């Protein structure tokens, strides 16, 4: 009896896995009001470079903190987004860990060049 049920069990498991993967793909669809993955990579790369420049230029953390808002504003203007849009994008990507991992992997690769 168990041998007869094994193929049925495997078939059910296969269909469940297939449905689960489709759901993951649907969850990773980027809405129109969210930056595409390439745009997010470029934005985060620029922010990382800006933060590194601030840190290198100013060892005094108080002075660095005073420069940061202007630098962030410059980066946001370059990428044509507002701080609120940035927060919205970060919320989306952090709630989609597969996409966020891809984005940070690309940022890391770009910064390593």
């Amino acid at each position: 009896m168990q041998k007869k049920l094994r193929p049925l069990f495997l078939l059910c498991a296969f269909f469940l896995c297939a449905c689960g993967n489709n759901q993951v793909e649907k969850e990773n669809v980027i809405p129109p009001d969210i930056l595409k993955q390439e745009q997010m990579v470029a934005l985060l790369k620029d922010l990382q470079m800006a933060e590194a420049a601030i840190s290198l230029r100013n060892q005094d953390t108080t002075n660095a903190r005073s420069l940061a808002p202007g630098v962030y504003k410059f980066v946001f203007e370059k990428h044509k987004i507002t701080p609120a849009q940035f927060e919205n994008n970060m919320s989306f990507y952090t709630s989609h860990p597969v996409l966020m991992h891809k984005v940070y992997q690309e940022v890391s690769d770009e910064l390593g060049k």
Side-chain angles (χ1 to χ4, degrees), residues 39-62:
Q39 295 170 305
M40 193 66 176
V41 168
L43 172 62
L44 291 176
K45 182 184 95 171
D46 285 349
L47 286 172
Q48 288 291 321
M49 291 174 60
E51 289 177 1
I54 290 170
S55 294
L56 289 174
R57 185 169 178 212
N58 295 298
Q59 297 300 322
D60 177 18
T61 57
T62 305

Side-chain angles (χ1 to χ4, degrees), residues 31-43:
D33 63 327
I34 299 296
L35 294 174
K36 302 297 179 221
Q37 189 171 330
E38 300 82 25
Q39 295 170 305
M40 193 66 176
V41 168
L43 172 62

